[in-house]
Amino acid sequence: KAVASTIDAQPARTKVLKAAKGVADEAERVLHAGRALSTDPKDASLSAASNRAKEGLDSAIDYLLASANSAGAGSEECDQAAEAIQRAAAEALTGFPSSQRGDLQEYAEELAQALKALDSALIQVQDAARNNPRQLGPAANLTASTMPPIMSSANNASAKTTDRVAGAAILSAGKQLADDTAYLLAQAKVAGSKPGDYNADQALTAAMKEVRTDMAELLKAVDSAIPGKRDLLASRDMIEASLGRLTKPSVMSENPQINLREISEAARRLTEALGRIVASARHFPEKLGPYSKEAAAAVSDIIDASKDAASHDNAAGVHLSATRVNLDGDKAAAHIADAPAMLDDTKAVARDTSDLIAHVKKAAQRETDSAKKRELIIATDKATQAATILAEAAKAVANRQPGAEQQLVNAAKQLETTIRAVLKSNPRSKSGQDFIPLLDAARKVAEETSKLVDVLRVVSGKPKDATAQTQLVVHAQATGEAIRGLVEAAENLTCGHKECKEAVDIIQRAIGDLDATAISATVPGLLKAPASKAGATNQQCKEELIALSRDLAGVTSKLVNASKNNPEELGASAKAASELVPQIVESAIALTAATADSKAQQDQLKLVKNAVDSLLVLVQASRMAIGNPHDKDVMLSLAEAAKSVSGGITELVSSLRGGVLGLRACDEAMKAIDALVSELNSASSAGGKTYGQCTDELTVNAKNLVDKMSQMVAAAKNAQAQPEKVGETCLAVSKLMPVLVAVARASAGAATDDKVSQKLLASARTVVTTSRDCVGSTKNVAADPKNQASIIALSDSQRNVTTALAGLLGALREGATLERDAEMAIAKIQATTSDLDSAALFAAATAGQMEVQIQKGTSLDAVQQNLSKSVQKLSSTATAVSAGSTQNVSQEELGKRFKEYAGEIEQIAHQTKIVASLLGDLTAQQDVLTAAKALTLSSQSLILSARESASRPGDKASQEQLNKVSQSVAKSIKDLVDVSENASKDAVRGIKELDKAQTEIQRLIEFFEKQGGGSNTTNPREVLPCLRNLGTSTGQLVSNATSNKDALCRAAQDTTRHMEEMLNNLKGLEKVLGDKLNVRNELHTAGTKTAQTTLKLLDAAKSAKETPESQKELSQLSEGVADRIMDVVKALRQVPGGEGITGLHDSGPDFDAIAEQELRKAAKMIEDAANRLLASRPRPVNSGDFLTEEDINSAILEAARAITVATASLVKAATLAQRDRIAKQRDPKTKAFYRADPAWANGLISAAQAVGATTMDLVESSNGFVQRTEGTDDAILISSARQVAAATARLMAASRAKSDPFSETHATLGNASKEVANATQLLVEAARRAAEWVNQPQDVPLIDENADLSDVARRKAAIEAQARLLRLQAEMEKAQKAVTNINETAYKGAGMQQGGSSNPAQGRPLPGPGGAQGRPLPGPGRSGAPP
């Protein structure tokens, strides 16, 4: 009532009083509910009623508080104004114009005026909310009245533009403005109801800031729709951003001269853009936008380059930091009404002050004047104190302390005063590198360009307006003046700029003097020596000119080095060059005057002029390079100029001096080298050194010879400048040759191959003779430097030496051990093959287990992708191996490829084992491993053929054999990819279907937990069919988890469907139960747990394998599902109409009994098979080899009988285990632990049938082999044996899954399985031995390794043997493909036979000869096995 008395609006007052009445009513309900609950505290319904009453009271209190908070002064008017604003936006922002008058420019102007009115109204709203809440209503109404014109102008502008994107942006900005304005009124209402509340006030300030941002965005969106204005706005933003960066710290520049060159380049681009802007302003206003962006980009580059260039100047750092402190202080004072922004600006002042102090310390360290240093430090301390005062004032303003705002203003002024003092005392650089003018000039350019862009915004809308054009011209001129000032400031800071300019003037005058002297020399007697050289002789002039030329060469080097590495030395180098050139010219004139020959005079003057001309170009190039050290063209020009100067000096000095000492030294070197040729007729002892040591030593000597030869050739080409160097380098070459010859002979002696030894000696002789020829060519060039034929001959001789050394090193490499690399590669591949064999046998004997480590979470899909990538890489390596053996590839490189190939084979084998281990299907495992083994076999042939081809280049037979092997490898690679991808694809398909089922059942569980929904079921007996179907479909999951993926997918789908039916029916029954909470909860819990247990079963099925552990886990989970289903049945019995419901499997076939019958049948089939083996008699065949055919047949039959005996033992053990389980199931003491499981029984039946059928196949194959029946060979026999091993492993897994782990039968099963695996291995070995005897071709005799055969005979025998190996590999690959096709057909056939009813209680056919899934098992004459 007290709150209501303060509210002016009647509706709001009534709302608060009604809300208080609601609190009283709900409180009364709480009291009544509490009193009722106290009579019976354990009554659930009374407890629920009490909780609901409490919740009602909480809601009433919340409503009362919300009504009171929203009922302040002006509250209703604010709400009405907000609604009016939203309504105005919705009605106006349609995209269809409300008026056809005007253009975009006019609408933009109208919008700007309307936004000003809105801003004024919002200021009144903000002031009323803070100071006079009773005026908040009128201010809100005024705000609402300003919105329709804004929305109308925005809508018209949107409709007027032809750019749909721009129009949509305008409408979006208008909608955002309306929304944020309405939100601001809401915040104003809150602030008015809470006077003095800091949080409410700050929220209102933030809302006001957001609205102003929206107004700016809306105006910007309209301006952007005007042709060209969008780019103009972007240009202005870019320039403003550049100005903001100017006062921020920069990364230390590596070379300020580069930045100065960047400034000049950017200034040039800005000038060009400025010219285009002025030219197109009147007639092509649409081009102003793109041109302004070019100008803005140039300004941005200028700002960045100026900052970077000034980063080395401490004074500039102080200047920037102080300016930044001042700017951020002004911002803090400007944001006095916006506390968050003000505090952020204050923090920025603190950071800026810290940077200022750091820069001041650096500047003070370099300041030698103690008074100035002290003045700078004191000024900085005062600025720091002022910044501290500013921070304290800002905190006071944020805390709304009286008078704090004036304190902040005064603190900002004080900070500005102290910063001025810092700038005044800032010491300028004494080295002339003062970057502050550059920064000021850059700022001036940016400011003038920004003003120019502002004028362009007017010109673009009114290109014909004379006033606008006049303003454009004025600002363009101002911008041009600023650019010129910038360029001048940059040039003044460029190192050596002034000295280089002076040097250019001096050199140009010197060149003019030389030209005048050349003209005077044409008139006899006219030319006279300079006064300072009067009386100097020709010899003296030459010596002086040579000395000056050498000095000039040194100055040139310094000039180039300064341009590249030490820019600060460029000025001194340029000055030294400018001082040296007049002396050279003076000496040249004196020499010309002392020379009588006119041609010699002109030649001398020409040489001097060429050198001076080149120096002029070099000075100009140096000035360019100082700012462009990374410009390739500039640096290339510098290098060419330096080379030209060097050449000019060389020519000048060479023309003045010559010598013969170098020529004599050349003759002496040639004689010494000639004497070494005869030593290379024979090898020498290696002196205990290995071939590798000799090779390393010879390589080093060869490199030294190349270096000396290069020096000798360079000296010859520079013989005019330094002729004595020619002789020195020639003697150095002759001294190195005896060492090289000695090492070459030792290498030849250490070589094990005589051909390599002879080739080494021959190559060394070639090196000696070509070196002697090169020395002779060097002598010819030194004698006649201008003879082009001699120069060409010298180049050819040097090339011949290089070629000869390459031949010598090639001969060394040929002595490397390619055979060793090949043998190592083959050994690794053979080891890989053996590993794959072991893995395949172990997997067959242990029901698919693999001894390979797999990281947790590894998916089959990811591993298959890795395998495919590795196989692709192997294909490339195989191609490289084949190509390397026929091309000109070194033996080291080919050996390296061999080892790389073997390593990749090893990696692929490992990845194949991982893929196989992740496959639940035993046959698919064997297929993948067999394909990988085929690849390793063909890879061995590839290494052998490549080695043979490399050792016999040009041999067509070897090349043809290599081509065949390469094709075989390519096919093996393709087969491995196809087999593994097909197997993986099938497995992944099942996993994905199981994932899908898990996701759907999880969704059903979530739906089941929600209230409402469900079927209209009222009779609990209607739930039984879906429960039976669910039990059957989960049984199908267990039966097909490791075999038939099509059936597995259908089982997963059926499970999902039946689960949905069950949960829907249970949810429907919950409606019938009404208040029977206990029954309803029990029914609900049973359904939920059934679904959750099914999820666990689906998860286990994804990683199921035919191992005892995996099968046991599936069986336990299947039992768990059955138990949960029985819980549902128990709950159904308590539902009305469910009395008398019995179990789901109380009637129907006894699968346990059927399983025992099938085991007996399998035992009988195996007994009959053994008898057939005993009755077999091999057909006699004459044979004269070491093993008789009778021996071989006996071994085969004995091994087959051993398999049947071991298999019979396993079946008997499985039968005993089944009997034991049935007995315990019927025993009341153990009945709870051994329940009926039809799914497991079906799997056991199928496994028993598979054992019997595969054993019959083995008998047929064994008899066919010993009797030589057509179509029966060792491969059929081995395949049949492995199928028996796989079937017995499956039977063992199914039996042990349900057997007592501590019983004797459990151990017997394991021992019997091992006996089957051992017997299978014996049969495989016997079959292989038989194949070696039976398949040995009579026309290919065995070759005794000690037989004395010719090379041709050995090569022919090797080729024939490899050809036979290829034929056998091709046959093996065809058989592998056939097995894969059969398995795929089996998959599809099994899937086709799964279409019947899945409910055993509804007439599902009992398992017949085809197994539990109706899949036909192999009989006599069939080699395939069920997957």
Side-chain angles (χ1 to χ4, degrees), residues 924-984:
Q925 280 187 340
Q926 294 297 324
D927 290 345
V928 172
L929 293 173
T930 303
K933 189 171 68 174
L935 175 58
T936 61
L937 294 175
S938 59
S939 297
Q940 294 180 43
S941 300
L942 176 64
I943 299 297
L944 291 171
S945 299
R947 183 180 63 182
E948 182 71 13
S949 179
S951 62
R952 299 182 183 279
D955 189 348
K956 293 184 178 179
S958 300
Q959 182 60 43
E960 291 175 359
Q961 181 67 15
L962 177 61
N963 293 337
K964 292 179 181 179
V965 174
S966 299
Q967 294 174 3
S968 176
V969 170
K971 189 173 183 306
S972 298
I973 290 174
K974 183 178 182 301
D975 290 344
L976 175 58
V977 173
D978 293 342
V979 170
S980 62
E981 286 183 350
N982 289 336
S984 301

Side-chain angles (χ1 to χ4, degrees), residues 596-919:
D597 187 359
S598 176
K599 183 177 182 305
Q601 288 179 334
Q602 296 297 330
D603 289 343
Q604 292 167 357
L605 290 173
K606 183 178 180 181
L607 290 173
V608 174
K609 186 173 182 298
N610 289 341
V612 176
D613 284 339
S614 301
L615 181 63
L616 176 62
V617 175
L618 178 62
V619 171
Q620 294 173 337
S622 299
R623 186 172 62 176
M624 289 294 296
I626 200 69
N628 298 275
H630 302 300
D631 190 317
K632 293 182 179 180
D633 294 335
V634 173
M635 299 310 295
L636 181 61
S637 300
L638 177 64
E640 291 177 350
K643 184 178 179 181
S644 178
V645 173
S646 178
I649 295 174
T650 300
E651 284 187 312
L652 176 61
V653 175
S654 297
S655 66
L656 301 174
R657 187 182 64 180
V660 295
L661 294 178
L663 301 179
R664 293 177 182 176
C666 290
D667 291 334
E668 183 181 347
M670 291 172 63
K671 184 177 180 181
I673 294 173
D674 272 332
L676 298 173
V677 177
S678 60
E679 296 183 12
L680 290 169
N681 293 329
S682 60
S684 65
S685 173
K689 296 180 180 178
T690 64
Y691 183 83
Q693 291 173 331
C694 293
T695 299
D696 294 339
E697 189 174 350
L698 186 57
T699 302
V700 171
N701 282 277
K703 181 180 179 182
N704 292 337
L705 179 60
V706 171
D707 293 338
K708 296 299 182 183
M709 282 288 179
S710 300
Q711 295 173 12
M712 182 182 70
V713 172
K717 293 180 179 179
N718 197 30
Q720 289 182 335
Q722 293 179 319
E724 66 278 4
K725 286 291 184 182
V726 177
E728 294 177 4
T729 54
C730 289
L731 290 175
V733 169
S734 66
K735 292 178 182 179
L736 182 62
M737 292 303 298
V739 180
L740 184 140
V741 169
V743 177
R745 294 181 65 200
S747 299
T752 57
D753 190 346
D754 185 65
K755 292 182 179 179
V756 174
S757 178
Q758 294 300 321
K759 192 170 184 179
L760 280 171
L761 293 174
S763 300
R765 281 195 297 270
T766 304
V767 170
V768 172
T769 56
T770 54
S771 298
R772 178 200 59 199
D773 296 340
C774 189
V775 173
S777 299
T778 301
K779 174 186 174 182
N780 295 334
V781 171
D784 189 5
K786 299 296 183 180
N787 192 324
Q788 290 298 321
S790 299
I791 295 175
I792 294 174
L794 176 58
S795 299
D796 293 340
S797 299
Q798 185 183 14
R799 191 178 303 110
N800 292 338
V801 173
T802 304
T803 304
L805 286 172
L808 177 60
L809 296 178
L812 282 174
R813 286 192 295 269
E814 289 184 9
T817 55
L818 177 63
E819 288 286 330
R820 180 184 61 195
D821 293 336
E823 289 173 1
M824 291 174 61
I826 292 173
K828 178 177 282 189
I829 295 175
Q830 288 175 342
T832 302
T833 305
S834 299
D835 183 57
L836 289 172
D837 271 331
S838 301
L841 291 174
F842 184 81
T846 59
Q849 295 187 54
M850 302 284 292
E851 291 184 340
V852 59
Q853 293 183 353
I854 305 176
Q855 293 183 356
K856 187 176 181 180
T858 301
S859 66
L860 177 59
D861 195 16
V863 176
Q864 177 59 41
Q865 291 180 5
N866 292 336
L867 176 60
S868 300
K869 293 179 181 178
S870 299
V871 170
Q872 291 177 358
K873 182 180 179 183
L874 178 70
S875 180
S876 301
T877 307
T879 303
V881 169
S882 301
S885 63
T886 58
Q887 299 174 354
N888 187 19
V889 175
S890 65
Q891 294 188 13
E892 288 85 355
E893 175 62 24
L894 184 57
K896 179 181 178 181
R897 295 181 186 181
F898 286 169
K899 290 184 283 188
E900 289 177 354
Y901 186 85
E904 292 175 9
I905 284 288
E906 186 179 32
Q907 180 184 7
I908 287 174
H910 179 70
Q911 292 174 339
T912 302
K913 286 165 59 179
I914 295 177
V915 170
S917 68
L918 294 175
L919 295 173

Side-chain angles (χ1 to χ4, degrees), residues 1144-1151 1400-1401 1406:
L1144 296 178
H1145 299 290
D1146 291 344
S1147 62
D1150 187 352
F1151 289 103
L1406 292 177

Side-chain angles (χ1 to χ4, degrees), residues 1014-1258:
S1015 66
N1016 296 322
T1017 301
T1018 59
N1019 187 354
R1021 295 182 182 274
E1022 295 179 2
V1023 185
L1024 295 181
C1026 63
L1027 293 177
R1028 294 192 186 99
N1029 293 338
L1030 178 61
T1032 302
S1033 61
T1034 54
Q1036 290 293 326
L1037 277 174
V1038 175
S1039 300
N1040 297 285
T1042 60
S1043 55
N1044 192 336
K1045 299 304 179 183
D1046 291 333
L1048 177 64
C1049 294
R1050 286 194 296 275
Q1053 295 168 1
D1054 292 342
T1055 300
T1056 304
R1057 185 173 69 256
H1058 299 324
M1059 180 64 69
E1060 183 176 10
E1061 294 173 0
M1062 182 196 76
L1063 295 178
N1064 277 330
N1065 289 333
L1066 295 181
K1067 202 170 184 65
L1069 288 177
E1070 289 181 4
K1071 302 176 184 176
V1072 178
L1073 293 173
D1075 296 332
K1076 296 183 177 181
L1077 296 179
N1078 294 334
V1079 177
R1080 185 169 58 186
N1081 291 338
E1082 183 177 353
L1083 186 63
H1084 188 87
T1085 302
T1088 302
K1089 289 185 176 180
T1090 301
Q1092 293 172 345
T1093 309
T1094 305
L1095 285 177
K1096 296 179 181 179
L1097 177 62
L1098 290 170
D1099 189 70
K1102 290 191 291 186
S1103 58
K1105 294 184 180 180
E1106 292 183 357
T1107 61
E1109 295 79 9
S1110 179
Q1111 293 294 321
K1112 187 170 185 179
E1113 181 185 10
L1114 286 176
S1115 177
Q1116 291 174 348
L1117 289 172
S1118 177
E1119 288 181 2
V1121 174
D1123 291 342
R1124 302 291 79 75
I1125 292 176
M1126 290 306 302
D1127 292 341
V1128 176
V1129 173
K1130 292 178 182 177
L1132 289 175
R1133 291 171 183 164
Q1134 303 179 45
V1135 178
E1139 299 82 4
I1141 292 179
T1142 61
L1144 296 178
H1145 299 290
D1146 291 344
S1147 62
D1150 187 352
F1151 289 103
D1152 287 324
I1154 295 173
E1156 184 175 357
Q1157 294 174 8
E1158 290 298 331
L1159 287 170
R1160 292 194 187 122
K1161 289 180 182 179
K1164 184 64 171 63
M1165 293 174 67
I1166 295 171
E1167 182 180 355
D1168 294 340
N1171 293 332
R1172 290 179 61 187
L1173 285 176
L1174 290 173
S1176 298
R1177 290 294 182 270
R1179 178 172 54 88
V1181 176
N1182 294 328
S1183 175
D1185 291 291
F1186 296 102
L1187 289 176
T1188 64
E1189 186 174 359
E1190 288 79 5
D1191 294 334
I1192 293 171
N1193 293 338
S1194 297
I1196 293 295
L1197 293 176
E1198 183 63 30
R1201 279 196 295 270
I1203 290 179
T1204 59
V1205 172
T1207 305
S1209 299
L1210 178 63
V1211 172
K1212 290 179 181 179
T1215 305
L1216 292 175
Q1218 176 64 0
R1219 289 179 182 175
D1220 183 54
R1221 182 184 178 281
I1222 293 175
K1224 291 182 178 179
Q1225 180 180 343
R1226 294 172 179 173
D1227 187 352
K1229 297 180 180 180
T1230 59
K1231 183 176 181 179
F1233 301 98
Y1234 294 89
R1235 292 182 292 276
D1237 190 348
W1240 170 83
N1242 279 331
L1244 183 61
I1245 292 168
S1246 175
Q1249 293 171 342
V1251 169
T1254 54
T1255 305
M1256 295 298 296
D1257 284 345
L1258 176 62

Side-chain angles (χ1 to χ4, degrees), residues 13-244:
R13 186 164 57 248
T14 302
K15 184 177 179 180
V16 171
L17 293 175
K18 286 184 177 181
K21 178 65 168 55
V23 171
D25 293 340
E26 292 297 331
E28 184 178 7
R29 284 187 59 200
V30 169
L31 292 175
H32 288 305
R35 182 174 60 186
L37 181 61
S38 66
T39 61
D40 188 3
K42 295 183 178 180
D43 191 319
S45 60
L46 294 177
S47 177
S50 176
N51 291 334
R52 286 194 296 271
K54 178 63 170 60
E55 293 174 357
L57 178 59
D58 291 340
S59 299
I61 292 173
D62 292 340
Y63 181 70
L64 172 62
L65 294 176
S67 300
N69 288 333
S70 62
S75 173
E76 293 296 328
E77 289 87 346
C78 286
D79 292 340
Q80 294 172 2
E83 293 176 0
I85 289 171
Q86 297 283 9
R87 187 168 55 253
E91 293 174 354
L93 299 177
T94 61
F96 298 100
S98 60
S99 174
Q100 298 296 333
R101 62 173 180 78
D103 54 13
L104 277 174
Q105 184 65 33
E106 294 179 1
Y107 290 138
E109 293 174 357
E110 291 178 0
L111 180 63
Q113 294 298 325
L115 289 175
K116 289 181 180 178
L118 174 61
D119 187 70
S120 177
L122 290 176
I123 291 174
Q124 296 183 33
V125 170
Q126 193 176 28
D127 182 68
R130 289 172 174 167
N131 304 315
N132 189 5
R134 295 187 180 277
Q135 293 299 319
L136 184 58
N141 293 331
L142 178 61
T143 300
S145 66
T146 62
M147 192 57 65
I150 295 174
M151 297 295 108
S152 176
S153 298
N155 183 67
N156 291 333
S158 172
K160 194 68 176 179
T161 180
T162 57
D163 188 345
R164 293 183 178 181
V165 176
I170 294 173
L171 295 178
S172 176
K175 180 66 170 60
Q176 186 65 39
L177 175 61
D179 293 342
D180 288 344
T181 304
Y183 176 76
L184 183 143
L185 293 176
Q187 294 300 320
K189 182 174 66 174
V190 174
S193 65
K194 299 179 179 180
D197 186 273
Y198 178 77
N199 293 330
D201 185 67
Q202 290 304 309
L204 178 60
T205 300
M208 184 68 176
K209 183 178 180 180
E210 192 67 28
V211 171
R212 284 177 172 168
T213 302
D214 293 341
M215 289 191 288
E217 290 296 326
L218 176 58
L219 193 57
K220 183 178 180 180
V222 175
D223 284 342
S224 299
I226 301 174
K229 272 200 173 183
R230 184 182 308 167
D231 290 338
L232 291 172
L233 291 171
S235 301
R236 193 179 188 284
D237 291 342
M238 187 183 301
I239 296 173
E240 292 298 326
S242 301
L243 280 170

